[in-house]
Amino acid sequence: MNSIIPILPELFLLALGLSVLCIDPFLKKDEIRRPFLGWFTGLGLLLTLVAELIFARPADPLLVFGGMLRFDRLAFLFQTFFLLAAIATAYFLMDDERLNRRPEAYL
C-alpha cells in the first residue's frame, strides 16, 4: 500500500480522464456539455489536488517501484504546480467556443 500512495494523484487523473471521455457521448446538447465538462474536470482536478495535499506529502525522499520513481518534495512541488495550472486551464477552456467542443481538450 505504501507504494501506491506516491502515485495516488496520477491514479486520480487517470480515473478523471476516463470518466470525462465516458461521460461525453451521453451529453447531447452542446450548451449543456461545454460547461458541464469544464466544471466536472475542474472539480475532479481540485479533488486530486486535495487528495495529494492530504495523503501524498513526502516526509523523506523515497524510491518506489524498484527505483523507477523518486518521491520527494521537489516532485511534490512540481506536481502541485501542474495540477493548479490544469485547473486554471480547464476553467479557461469553458469560455473558448472553438476549443471546448472536444472532450480531449479537458484532458
Side-chain angles (χ1 to χ4, degrees), residues 23 27 31-42 94 106:
I23 288 173
L27 299 174
E31 302 88 33
I32 297 170
R33 181 175 66 192
R34 285 181 285 169
F36 178 77
L37 285 180
W39 285 108
F40 183 76
T41 303
M94 288 191 318
Y106 292 105

Side-chain angles (χ1 to χ4, degrees), residues 43-88:
L43 289 175
L45 289 169
L46 189 64
L47 288 174
T48 302
L49 180 65
V50 168
E52 177 192 20
L53 292 174
I54 292 173
F55 298 114
R57 282 190 305 196
D60 294 325
L62 177 69
L63 293 175
V64 292
F65 293 112
M68 290 191 303
L69 183 67
R70 183 175 174 90
F71 185 60
D72 59 358
R73 290 186 180 152
L74 184 64
F76 177 77
L77 177 73
F78 278 110
Q79 194 169 21
T80 304
F81 173 72
F82 285 119
L83 279 173
L84 288 172
I87 292 169

